[in-house]
Amino acid sequence: MGTNTELTREANVLTRFLDAGDVAALVRGVGVRQAIVQVAGCVREDFLRWHEFEKSARLASHSAVGVIELMPVSDGNRFAYKYVNGHPRNAQFALPTVMACGMLADVQTGFPLLLADLTLATALRTAATSALAAQAMARPGARTMALIGNGAQAEFQSLAFHAMAGITTIRAFDVDASATARLARNLAKVRGLEIVPVRSVRDALSGADIVTTVTADKTRATILTPEMVQPGMHLNAVGGDCPGKTELHVDILRGARLVVEYAPQSRIEGEIQQWPEAPVSELWEVLAGTAPGRAGADEVTVFDSVGFALEDYSALRWLHATACARDAGRYVELVAMPPDPRDLYGWMMQANAEAVTPRACESTTAAETTEST
Amino acid sequence: MGTNTELTREANVLTRFLDAGDVAALVRGVGVRQAIVQVAGCVREDFLRWHEFEKSARLASHSAVGVIELMPVSDGNRFAYKYVNGHPRNAQFALPTVMACGMLADVQTGFPLLLADLTLATALRTAATSALAAQAMARPGARTMALIGNGAQAEFQSLAFHAMAGITTIRAFDVDASATARLARNLAKVRGLEIVPVRSVRDALSGADIVTTVTADKTRATILTPEMVQPGMHLNAVGGDCPGKTELHVDILRGARLVVEYAPQSRIEGEIQQWPEAPVSELWEVLAGTAPGRAGADEVTVFDSVGFALEDYSALRWLHATACARDAGRYVELVAMPPDPRDLYGWMMQANAEAVTPRACESTTAAETTEST
């Protein structure tokens, strides 16, 4: 991407917009596993330049029924943010629990380069980051993963661990058996990956090298208890991601090596909210090799994942590069771009008022009419 | 707006999108002064229910050349945020100094109801808020306003004070005389409002009842010094709006009644950053009548305006209501909306990969092809 080109004003300075269908088609075009692998490459690159980013915990607005968050991040070259909600009871309105969109902007000018649905990209980057962590934390030769919670993220976690962490068997459990059936059906044709529906968490964990928990209840749940966890297991705890929402019994944490994305945020939102003084490493340290992901074959390791804005930055830059290469989406006039930037008024007065006035405007006065000429 | 209707899933749950041209046409259709008056009505209503809002100072990401901000606010019914930049040197790229867009979402579900350009709406709400403050703070019978800084906001400030605060003469000064000429030209046909170009700040202030400063330099400037200010003047200080950017000499503040939008933010960003312990009232108190806007005819009053997220909430809800009434803009699939919310993967696999694959996809593997069937 040539910065000069971006900064030179074209006849039309427009923002690329990828709606949800555009993103889905783009991911399908690349291939979903290939997309996860590419996003994982972006996440790894960005985590390895951790200190170049201006980081902050997300800005969360909580209500009785859910949360709405803004997640900003910048590396001094690009500014990215994600809008995302979490409403566990949205199913009653046939709406997704999580919906997301976001923007990538040029720090040099503030111009928004890309606006995109991030619902799908969030699933990709979450799965990609989980698999990246597992590469560094799970025992070599891991083949079987227990997958507890078979909701919207289940296929993406499955494909990520298949493509990146050597998983060939997934023992899948959900309190809703139809969710597991859907997962098995959706991935039935993926070569070399077997989905085994099971009837309990305990059954899922039988023989598992890796355990992924990705349940959705906004409660302090205890999906895993200490006696279920075998020496050497890697736990990928994805579902606990806000205050009051956890999945692991605290004693599991006390006996394990703990890795998080960004400690200040994870201490508020992650499994470790149950244990404020928990010793943790950050994923970037593990990826950089400055902190161990695992000390021995019998160690229990936990990636306590809550989702961090940097991962969305990675997803957004992957979307932007991929969309540019494939000319995906369309251009929109997201922000006003008067030919003379100081003449916002004059630009506005060129607009065709008739275009959006289906009937006579009741509020037009004689003075307004005069002014409009 | 019927909440039930919004919460009932329609065949297509889509987000209304107003691009910059749509907003301009909408404002033109309503009439720009009428739009300012209507937005001011929304701002007043929202400031009068100040305690219903969850407020926070904006989230600012500063760089050497500018700032990018996210400004969120919620009243438990609607969540709104604005993305906005401030890059004083953008003119060299023929880009506006300030570009903005934002979203209005339903707190009950997190669903984004409206996405819109806010560049123009920001100018409207800033002018509307300035005029609201002046109604409560300027001397009765004010007719003449000095307008220092004749950039993109000048016409909107002029029209707001004409429509709402009785101003009939504007003495306009800018270091760039062509900016003043543009302002005079743009407003030449507005009945009952005279724009008088002058050659200095001092000249502008001659006989002025109200002084509006809306300059753009990101520096600690001293546009006004104490000896210029006459007893009874109302100062509407709009241009100082981030750390290190001010327009008034601190001694002007020390002798004046000070009103701000939201004190915690204004102490960081406003004129009062020069005087940390300044005694201030908040605008909502003045509008509610619980704090005086002016104590006597000789008092100097200052509205130290930095722009607050609540004003953008008001602008967004005005845009949304007005766009709905006039069926403006278009609907977009801003966030993924799978028919079965838990089946994000299945929804994605329905997407037409060909639609965005102009050439054979180099990354498609045999496994991917199988999976796609």
Side-chain angles (χ1 to χ4, degrees):
Chain A
M1 287 178 281
T3 299
N4 283 340
T5 310
E6 287 166 16
L7 294 184
T8 304
R9 185 190 170 87
E10 307 288 345
N12 292 302
V13 181
L14 298 169
T15 301
R16 189 181 291 268
F17 173 46
L18 299 173
D19 72 13
D22 294 331
V23 174
L26 197 62
V27 172
R28 284 269 284 134
V30 173
V32 58
R33 274 171 296 177
Q34 186 63 22
I36 290 171
V37 169
Q38 290 177 3
V39 170
C42 293
V43 171
R44 174 187 286 277
E45 279 178 14
D46 292 333
F47 271 69
L48 289 178
R49 57 193 188 95
W50 183 256
H51 293 291
E52 294 175 23
F53 287 87
E54 180 184 86
K55 293 172 283 285
S56 55
R58 58 184 134 206
L59 213 70
S61 175
H62 293 274
S63 69
V65 294
V67 63
I68 293 178
E69 300 174 335
L70 294 175
M71 302 168 69
V73 71
S74 169
D75 67 352
N77 179 39
R78 295 282 179 266
F79 173 90
Y81 77 85
K82 179 164 79 168
Y83 167 96
V84 60
N85 76 302
H87 286 72
R89 288 180 246 162
N90 263 2
Q92 67 186 298
F93 308 115
L95 286 174
T97 302
V98 175
M99 298 171 274
C101 57
M103 192 189 283
L104 192 68
D106 178 12
V107 171
Q108 286 302 303
T109 64
F111 184 75
L113 301 166
L114 175 72
L115 170 74
D117 166 57
L118 291 181
T119 312
L120 184 52
T122 295
L124 296 181
R125 66 79 157 151
T126 302
T129 305
S130 286
L132 271 180
Q135 286 178 335
M137 299 177 67
R139 278 176 305 190
R143 291 286 173 271
T144 300
M145 179 165 88
L147 181 57
I148 315 299
N150 301 157
Q153 292 195 55
E155 287 88 348
F156 301 96
Q157 289 282 337
S158 299
L159 292 173
F161 279 83
H162 176 50
M164 295 173 56
I167 293 298
T168 55
T169 301
I170 289 176
R171 301 179 66 80
F173 173 74
D174 196 291
V175 289
D176 175 1
S178 74
T180 308
R182 186 212 72 236
L183 168 66
R185 196 167 57 242
N186 276 340
L187 300 187
K189 293 185 181 170
V190 178
R191 289 186 195 161
L193 180 64
E194 186 184 18
I195 307 294
V196 181
V198 299
R199 296 189 179 177
S200 69
V201 172
R202 205 168 293 269
D203 195 357
L205 265 63
S206 169
D209 305 295
I210 296 174
V211 182
T212 289
T213 54
V214 58
T215 61
D217 270 341
K218 192 182 178 178
T219 56
R220 200 166 282 250
T222 306
I223 309 295
L224 298 187
T225 50
E227 77 280 5
M228 296 180 186
V229 178
Q230 300 303 312
M233 275 183 173
H234 171 63
L235 310 186
N236 174 44
V238 178
D241 59 1
C242 68
K245 184 175 167 204
T246 58
E247 294 179 317
L248 307 187
H249 190 287
V250 65
D251 287 347
I252 295 175
L253 304 180
R254 293 187 194 278
R257 175 173 301 274
L258 303 175
V259 174
V260 299
E261 287 138 318
Y262 177 53
Q265 178 176 314
S266 300
R267 291 196 189 279
I268 297 167
E269 303 175 355
E271 296 298 327
I272 61 170
Q273 68 186 271
Q274 303 178 84
W275 182 20
E277 65 280 15
V280 300
S281 300
E282 289 180 326
L283 180 58
W284 71 272
E285 300 175 289
V286 174
L287 296 178
T290 57
R294 162 174 295 276
D298 285 346
E299 194 176 42
V300 172
T301 55
V302 176
F303 178 49
D304 179 8
S305 174
V306 297
F308 182 47
L310 184 47
E311 296 152 33
D312 299 306
Y313 174 99
S314 308
L316 272 162
R317 77 173 175 92
W318 177 81
L319 274 179
H320 191 226
T322 308
C324 289
R326 290 163 180 262
D327 198 23
R330 65 195 125 136
Y331 286 99
V332 296
E333 196 184 5
L334 180 59
V335 294
M337 206 51 65
D340 173 358
R342 294 172 314 174
D343 196 9
L344 180 63
Y345 183 85
W347 166 84
M348 177 193 72
M349 295 304 277
Q350 301 297 318
N352 182 5
E354 298 308 314
V356 292
T357 311
R359 53 187 176 279
C361 175
E362 63 281 9
S363 58
T364 302
T365 65
E368 304 270 351
T369 306
T370 303
E371 177 190 309
S372 303
T373 56
Chain B
M1 285 177 281
T3 299
N4 283 339
T5 309
E6 289 166 15
L7 294 185
T8 304
R9 186 191 171 86
E10 307 289 345
N12 292 301
V13 182
L14 298 169
T15 300
R16 189 182 290 267
F17 173 47
L18 299 174
D19 72 13
D22 294 332
V23 174
L26 198 61
V27 173
R28 283 269 285 135
V30 172
V32 57
R33 274 171 296 178
Q34 186 63 23
I36 290 171
V37 168
Q38 290 177 4
V39 170
C42 293
V43 171
R44 173 188 287 277
E45 277 178 17
D46 293 333
F47 270 68
L48 288 178
R49 55 194 189 95
W50 182 258
H51 294 292
E52 293 176 23
F53 287 88
E54 182 183 86
K55 292 169 284 285
S56 55
R58 58 185 134 207
L59 214 69
S61 176
H62 292 275
S63 69
V65 294
V67 63
I68 293 178
E69 299 173 336
L70 294 175
M71 302 167 69
V73 71
S74 169
D75 67 353
N77 179 38
R78 295 283 179 263
F79 173 90
Y81 77 85
K82 178 165 81 168
Y83 167 97
V84 61
N85 76 303
H87 285 72
R89 287 180 247 162
N90 263 3
Q92 66 186 300
F93 308 115
L95 286 173
T97 301
V98 174
M99 298 172 274
C101 57
M103 193 188 283
L104 191 70
D106 179 11
V107 171
Q108 286 303 302
T109 64
F111 183 75
L113 302 167
L114 175 71
L115 170 74
D117 166 57
L118 291 181
T119 311
L120 184 52
T122 295
L124 296 181
R125 65 77 159 151
T126 301
T129 306
S130 286
L132 272 180
Q135 286 178 336
M137 300 177 68
R139 279 178 304 191
R143 289 287 173 269
T144 300
M145 178 165 89
L147 181 56
I148 315 299
N150 301 157
Q153 293 195 55
E155 287 88 349
F156 303 95
Q157 289 283 336
S158 299
L159 291 173
F161 279 82
H162 175 50
M164 296 173 56
I167 293 297
T168 55
T169 301
I170 289 176
R171 301 179 65 81
F173 173 73
D174 196 293
V175 289
D176 176 0
S178 74
T180 308
R182 186 213 72 236
L183 169 66
R185 196 167 55 240
N186 276 340
L187 299 187
K189 294 185 182 170
V190 178
R191 289 185 196 161
L193 179 64
E194 186 184 17
I195 308 294
V196 181
V198 298
R199 296 194 178 173
S200 69
V201 171
R202 205 169 293 268
D203 195 358
L205 264 64
S206 169
D209 304 295
I210 296 175
V211 182
T212 290
T213 55
V214 56
T215 61
D217 270 341
K218 193 182 180 179
T219 56
R220 200 166 282 250
T222 306
I223 309 295
L224 298 187
T225 50
E227 77 279 8
M228 296 180 187
V229 178
Q230 300 302 314
M233 275 184 174
H234 172 62
L235 311 186
N236 174 44
V238 178
D241 60 0
C242 68
K245 184 177 167 203
T246 58
E247 295 179 317
L248 307 186
H249 191 287
V250 66
D251 286 347
I252 296 175
L253 305 179
R254 292 188 195 278
R257 176 173 300 274
L258 303 175
V259 174
V260 300
E261 286 138 320
Y262 178 52
Q265 178 177 313
S266 300
R267 292 198 189 277
I268 298 167
E269 303 175 354
E271 296 298 327
I272 60 168
Q273 67 186 272
Q274 304 177 82
W275 183 19
E277 65 280 12
V280 301
S281 300
E282 289 181 324
L283 180 59
W284 71 271
E285 301 174 287
V286 174
L287 296 178
T290 59
R294 161 174 295 276
D298 285 346
E299 194 175 45
V300 172
T301 55
V302 177
F303 179 48
D304 179 9
S305 174
V306 297
F308 182 46
L310 184 47
E311 295 153 32
D312 299 305
Y313 174 99
S314 307
L316 272 161
R317 78 173 174 92
W318 177 80
L319 274 179
H320 192 226
T322 308
C324 290
R326 290 164 179 261
D327 199 24
R330 64 195 124 134
Y331 286 99
V332 296
E333 198 183 6
L334 182 59
V335 294
M337 207 50 66
D340 174 357
R342 295 171 315 173
D343 195 9
L344 181 63
Y345 182 85
W347 167 84
M348 177 192 72
M349 295 304 277
Q350 302 297 319
N352 181 5
E354 299 308 315
V356 291
T357 312
R359 52 188 176 280
C361 174
E362 64 281 10
S363 58
T364 304
T365 65
E368 305 269 353
T369 307
T370 303
E371 177 190 308
S372 304
T373 57

